């Protein structure tokens, strides 16, 4: 299962170990949730000092490929999820492409007066009626994101009466209101979870989160202002360039394939 180290190579031993252990994950020989060999087991197998093995394992933990549970050991982390900032397709469809089951739990659904920020983003008057929808997003059985959407009640009459625990927001907008997202202007920040957010996402208080804000426009007018909090341990963003133009992408990586999704 494990190869011998090349002790004559200029490549450090810890790096050889790191690359081989990563290959076990990438080839699926060790799957998410599997217990990882201990430092002592690996040190004996490779005939190296434990500190050498520890350096390789620490790098894998830092990258989110392994997770250490006090009193239980080290385990292969669950795969991350691909997210592209430039994509405005369905969250549900994109995770489905990865073979992941998704659902949403509605945490809050009410009509509120537009703040100055919402009025500006939705092109409304201050205090105009705005529909607020807060949903907890799941990948399989894991909560991975808190999504808060704001929409104009005047533009979408009756939307506050719809049960969004059982239907897609964007599909509802398309079918019932003939409104489809065309352009999304987004910003990305780093933040930490407060106590309530940590409780909903099943993470520790002050754990790192990505904060994604978006203003989604239709053919003629704004459709939605949305704020999404994404678990830092389940998402990864990458920067790529195309003909000299940089685009920021968020990528959640499966062990077998990758895909992208966005809010819906």
């Amino acid at each position: 299962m494990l190869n011998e180290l090349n002790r004559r190579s200029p490549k450090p031993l810890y790096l050889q170990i790191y690359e081989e252990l990563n290959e076990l994950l990438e080839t699926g020989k060790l799957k998410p949730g599997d217990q990882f060999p201990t430092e002592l087991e690996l040190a004996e197998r490779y005939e190296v000092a434990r500190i050498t093995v520890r350096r390789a394992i620490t790098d894998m933990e830092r990258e989110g490929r392994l997770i250490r549970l006090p009193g239980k050991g080290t385990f292969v982390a669950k795969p991350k999820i691909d997210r592209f900032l430039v994509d405005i397709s369905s969250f549900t469809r994109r995770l489905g492409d990865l073979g992941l089951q998704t659902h949403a739990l509605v945490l809050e659904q009410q009509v509120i007066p537009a703040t100055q920020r919402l009025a500006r983003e939705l092109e409304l008057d201050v205090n105009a009626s705005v529909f607020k929808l807060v949903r907890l997003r799941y990948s399989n059985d894991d909560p991975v994101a808190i999504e808060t959407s704001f929409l104009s009640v005047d533009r979408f009459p009756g939307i506050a009466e719809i049960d969004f625990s059982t239907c897609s927001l964007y599909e509802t907008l398309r079918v019932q209101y003939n409104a489809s997202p065309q352009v999304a202007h987004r910003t990305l920040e780093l933040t930490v979870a407060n106590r309530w957010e940590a409780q909903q996402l099943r993470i520790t208080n002050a754990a790192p989160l990505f904060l994604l804000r978006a203003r989604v426009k239709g053919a003629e007018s704004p459709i939605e202002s949305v704020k999404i909090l994404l678990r830092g341990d389940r998402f990864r963003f990458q920067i790529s360039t195309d003909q000299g133009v940089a685009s920021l992408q968020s990528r959640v990586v499966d062990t077998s394939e990758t895909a992208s999704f966005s809010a819906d």
Side-chain angles (χ1 to χ4, degrees):
M1 183 175 177
L2 298 176
N3 298 320
E4 296 294 331
L5 300 179
N6 184 354
R7 299 178 187 274
R8 295 183 178 180
S9 171
K11 183 180 295 184
L13 294 179
Y14 91 88
L15 187 55
Q16 294 183 48
I17 295 172
Y18 165 87
E19 290 177 348
E20 182 163 330
L21 295 179
N22 269 288
E23 186 175 353
L24 295 180
L25 274 59
E26 292 169 357
T27 58
K29 293 179 181 178
L30 285 176
K31 295 179 171 52
D34 286 352
Q35 186 154 16
F36 203 70
T38 65
E39 288 182 5
L40 180 59
E41 290 170 342
L42 291 171
E44 291 178 347
R45 170 62 185 83
Y46 285 115
E47 298 182 347
V48 296
R50 288 181 63 175
I51 191 172
T52 304
V53 171
R54 185 177 304 135
R55 185 172 179 182
I57 292 177
T58 298
D59 283 353
M60 294 176 71
E61 286 182 39
R62 187 180 299 114
E63 294 169 356
R65 301 180 69 86
L66 299 177
I67 182 170
R68 192 187 300 269
L69 300 178
K72 295 184 179 181
T74 301
F75 296 82
V76 179
K78 294 179 180 179
K80 295 189 174 183
I81 308 160
D82 282 355
R83 185 176 187 95
F84 289 81
L85 290 178
V86 295
D87 189 12
I88 53 176
S89 58
S90 166
F91 180 104
T92 302
R93 181 176 68 81
R94 287 301 182 178
L95 263 68
D97 289 344
L98 281 173
L100 301 173
Q101 297 296 317
T102 70
H103 66 279
L105 174 65
V106 175
L107 302 178
E108 183 182 347
Q109 184 169 331
Q110 64 171 317
V111 175
I112 63 171
T115 63
Q116 288 188 351
R117 178 171 186 162
L118 288 175
R120 181 176 64 254
E121 293 183 348
L122 295 175
E123 297 180 6
L124 303 171
D125 293 332
V126 174
N127 293 324
S129 295
V130 170
F131 174 58
K132 179 182 180 182
L133 175 64
V134 183
R135 290 174 292 176
L136 182 62
R137 293 289 198 173
Y138 286 83
S139 167
N140 290 337
D141 293 325
D142 294 325
V144 295
I146 299 173
E147 183 177 327
T148 304
S149 299
F150 301 93
L151 301 97
S152 168
V153 172
D154 288 339
R155 290 196 185 112
F156 307 109
I159 195 168
E161 283 69 55
I162 298 173
D163 181 6
F164 285 104
S165 64
T166 59
C167 61
S168 160
L169 173 59
Y170 280 8
E171 183 67 12
T172 298
L173 293 174
R174 185 183 67 82
V175 173
Q176 296 192 26
Y177 300 98
N178 194 31
S180 298
Q182 303 294 325
V183 179
H185 302 282
R186 302 186 176 186
T187 63
L188 178 67
E189 306 172 44
L190 296 177
T191 186
V192 295
N194 61 32
R195 184 172 299 178
W196 179 82
E197 293 161 351
Q199 184 179 35
Q200 301 301 320
L201 293 170
R202 301 179 195 164
I203 54 179
T204 59
N205 193 31
L209 298 173
F210 292 111
L211 169 57
L212 179 63
R213 295 184 185 273
R215 180 173 179 255
V216 182
K217 298 192 68 174
E220 298 180 355
S221 60
I223 291 178
E224 174 193 27
S225 175
V226 61
K227 166 189 171 183
I228 308 176
L229 290 168
L230 305 159
R231 279 177 51 170
D233 62 334
R234 297 302 307 275
F235 291 83
R236 182 176 65 195
F237 289 78
Q238 294 183 347
I239 297 176
S240 63
T241 58
D242 183 11
Q243 296 181 348
V245 180
S247 63
L248 180 61
Q249 304 171 346
S250 98
R251 301 184 63 83
V252 189
V253 179
D254 192 354
T255 53
S256 58
E257 57 181 325
T258 62
S260 65
F261 65 86
S262 71
D264 179 10

